[in-house]
């Protein structure tokens, strides 16, 4: 490496894992969280240290990937990962991010065989040249060996590659001490928001059926639909506020309450209550509901999980959650808006001070009316496919 030392802060804001429609993936992050905190440093002194640190920077051990670490004053300000191969021009979205974060140097790491990695590394090096930043190191890692695109000294960087052993680097131990985690692969992360199965799924399905039956009965018995809508929305807002305290207190919603909250969140005003009150600590609630709710009710809670994760700097988790939302409803607007932000490497700081208060929502949207309930009513007759009961 050209630099003797690189202090790599664990990226704590907008680390993006935004999948394009044709499955190219980009994970990126910058150190601009909503609430700044003291983050652990990983000191990198060799290519092996870089290779050991990357999984902790992106959250999992990458394969068939290009990773770019952007540095400013020797500290990681941005980490981006793309799945390979990707089409020419894919890295162009980094240009405004490099300028915004004041990136002065990059470290480039490609994972996979040369014919897969080299075109991507070349594009990254060209981008660095055109934006006036230095390439501190450019590596390719494959099957226990690495090659440097920067070093031309045969004794240091032989043509057959240099064997490396991540266990010889202190980085993994340092990261573990600091509470950092590198999952084996992205699929493991996807399973953390996968639907629950077996008896838990069956119990949730029964609770959902009971909640739907109660809603229908109340709706049919209501003499005044306007009053019914106002009461339903008011009850939903109260459920949101109550539920937001549950993860903080270490509790968990029971199945009936979870089902009722999931139904209420299909109403935009109720969902936006959770949006405007958003805090990183709410992620546990939204992850639990993303796993437990019947699929048709997942898009709102999965989108709220994505928002909480993005704010906390875990944009890989955010994108996995958005994938769950968009698999169920490809047109769900909140999920599409967040995915657009992640794909364009936007910082969650753009929302700082811009979220409306509940009072402003009331003033903008006006009193509840029966039309607000149409999204929920349209879902009631749908059956969730592929129940996954194992």
């Amino acid at each position: 490496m050209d630099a003797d030392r690189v202090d790599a802060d664990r990226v704590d804001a907008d680390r993006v894992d935004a999948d394009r429609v044709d499955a190219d993936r980009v994970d990126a992050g910058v150190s601009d969280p909503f609430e700044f905190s003291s983050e652990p440093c990983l000191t990198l002194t060799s290519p092996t240290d870089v290779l050991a640190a990357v999984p902790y920077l992106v959250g999992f051990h990458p394969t068939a990937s290009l990773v770019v670490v952007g540095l400013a004053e020797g500290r990681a300000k941005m980490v981006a990962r793309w799945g390979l191969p990707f089409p020419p021009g894919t890295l162009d979205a980094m240009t405004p991010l490099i300028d915004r974060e004041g990136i002065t140097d990059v470290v480039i790491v490609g994972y996979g065989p040369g014919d897969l990695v080299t075109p991507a590394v070349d594009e990254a090096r060209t981008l660095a040249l055109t934006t006036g930043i230095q390439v501190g190191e450019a590596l390719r890692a494959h099957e226990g060996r690495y090659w440097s695109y920067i070093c031309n000294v045969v004794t240091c960087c032989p043509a057959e590659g240099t064997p490396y052993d991540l266990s010889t680097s202190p980085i993994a131990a340092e990261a573990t001490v600091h509470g950092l985690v590198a999952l084996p692969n992205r699929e493991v992360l996807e399973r953390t928001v996968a639907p629950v199965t077996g008896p838990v799924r069956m119990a949730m399905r029964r609770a959902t059926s009971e909640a739907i039956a109660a809603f229908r009965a109340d709706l049919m018995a209501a003499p005044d639909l306007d009053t019914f809508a106002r009461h339903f929305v008011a009850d939903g807002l109260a459920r949101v506020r109550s539920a937001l305290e549950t993860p903080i207190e270490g509790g968990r919603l029971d199945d009936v309450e979870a089902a009722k909250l999931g139904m209420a969140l299909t109403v935009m005003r109720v969902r936006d209550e959770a949006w405007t009150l958003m805090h990183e600590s709410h992620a546990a609630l939204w992850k639990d509901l993303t796993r437990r709710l019947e699929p048709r009710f997942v898009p709102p809670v999965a989108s709220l999980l994505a928002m909480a994760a993005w704010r906390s700097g875990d944009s890989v988790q955010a994108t996995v959650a958005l994938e769950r939302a968009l698999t169920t409803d490809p047109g769900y607007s909140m999920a599409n808006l967040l995915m657009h932000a992640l794909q364009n490497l936007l910082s969650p700081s753009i929302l700082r001070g811009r979220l409306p208060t509940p009072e402003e929502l009331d003033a903008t949207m006006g009193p509840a009316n029966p039309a607000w309930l149409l999204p929920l009513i349209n879902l009631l007759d749908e059956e969730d496919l592929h129940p996954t009961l194992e």
Side-chain angles (χ1 to χ4, degrees):
M1 299 180 65
D2 288 352
D4 291 333
R5 292 163 58 93
V6 173
D7 289 331
D9 287 336
R10 184 169 192 259
V11 174
D12 195 354
D14 46 14
R15 185 178 61 204
V16 178
D17 190 280
D19 285 9
R20 301 189 314 108
V21 174
D22 57 355
D24 284 336
R25 291 173 176 160
V26 51
D27 313 326
V30 298
S31 54
D32 183 20
F34 269 58
E35 297 178 3
F36 290 91
S37 61
S38 178
E39 290 299 315
C41 261
L42 304 178
T43 302
L44 313 181
T45 60
S46 69
T48 298
D49 285 348
V50 171
L51 295 171
V54 164
Y56 294 95
L57 294 174
V58 301
F60 56 89
H61 289 266
T63 58
S65 301
L66 178 75
V67 176
V68 177
V69 181
L71 307 167
E73 298 181 353
R75 290 181 174 272
K77 294 283 287 181
M78 177 263 321
V79 177
R81 184 197 68 89
W82 290 262
L84 298 177
F86 55 61
T90 295
L91 304 187
D92 291 347
M94 283 189 64
T95 301
L97 181 61
I98 288 170
D99 181 63
R100 187 179 82 214
E101 297 305 318
I103 302 300
T104 57
D105 302 84
V106 293
V107 174
I108 304 166
V109 185
Y111 293 84
D115 58 349
L116 180 68
V117 170
T118 299
V121 171
D122 287 345
E123 183 170 337
R125 295 177 69 186
T126 298
L127 177 67
L129 179 65
T130 58
T131 54
I133 58 179
Q134 299 294 315
V135 178
E137 181 60 280
L139 301 171
R140 178 173 72 87
H142 186 54
E143 296 181 345
R145 292 177 176 268
Y146 69 80
W147 292 258
S148 174
Y149 292 91
I150 301 297
C151 177
N152 295 316
V153 180
V154 176
T155 56
C156 175
C157 304
E160 66 274 16
T162 302
Y164 69 95
D165 180 359
L166 297 184
S167 66
T168 65
S169 171
I171 295 301
E174 290 180 25
T176 301
V177 167
H178 290 305
L180 308 185
V181 176
L183 298 175
N185 51 54
R186 192 176 187 272
E187 288 69 28
V188 172
L189 181 61
E190 292 169 357
R191 289 198 289 272
T192 67
V193 296
V196 295
T197 60
V200 178
R201 167 58 60 210
M202 292 301 294
M204 194 66 216
R205 184 157 295 163
R206 286 192 294 269
T208 303
S209 296
E210 292 171 5
I212 289 174
F215 174 84
R216 283 175 168 156
D218 291 344
L219 180 62
M220 295 299 294
D224 179 352
L225 291 182
D226 285 299
T227 300
F228 176 82
R230 287 196 295 272
H231 286 169
F232 182 83
V233 171
D235 181 67
L237 296 177
R239 290 182 187 280
V240 167
R241 290 180 175 271
S242 175
L244 291 180
E245 298 300 319
T246 300
I248 297 173
E249 297 172 355
R252 181 174 182 264
L253 298 182
D254 63 37
D255 290 340
V256 172
E257 184 58 32
K260 289 181 177 180
L261 179 58
M263 291 171 58
L265 287 166
T266 64
V267 177
M268 185 180 297
R269 174 63 186 87
V270 178
R271 182 208 66 191
D272 286 354
E273 183 81 358
W275 175 290
T276 197
L277 297 175
M278 180 62 64
H279 188 273
E280 292 86 332
S281 64
H282 300 161
L285 169 68
W286 304 128
K287 180 181 285 189
D288 177 52
L289 293 180
T290 297
R291 299 202 67 201
R292 291 168 62 204
L293 291 182
E294 293 294 282
R296 60 186 138 158
F297 298 110
V298 161
V301 294
S303 298
L304 290 167
L305 169 59
M307 180 65 175
W310 186 36
R311 280 193 54 150
S312 70
D314 191 352
S315 294
V316 182
Q317 175 76 85
T319 302
V320 169
L322 292 175
E323 289 169 354
R324 284 247 22 224
L326 294 172
T327 296
T328 301
D329 183 358
Y332 195 68
S333 60
M334 180 180 177
N336 279 301
L337 285 171
L338 286 175
M339 188 68 88
H340 176 77
L342 295 175
Q343 288 174 330
N344 285 278
L345 311 185
L346 299 181
S347 167
S349 63
I350 63 173
L351 297 177
R352 186 185 292 119
R354 298 183 183 180
L355 290 177
T357 65
E359 293 74 21
E360 288 170 336
L361 286 175
D362 287 336
T364 300
M365 300 182 70
N369 63 74
W372 288 15
L373 306 184
L374 288 178
L376 171 58
I377 292 171
N378 290 337
L379 289 176
L380 296 185
D381 292 327
E382 292 186 10
E383 292 294 333
D384 290 316
L385 302 177
H386 312 298
T388 316
L389 301 179
E390 297 146 1

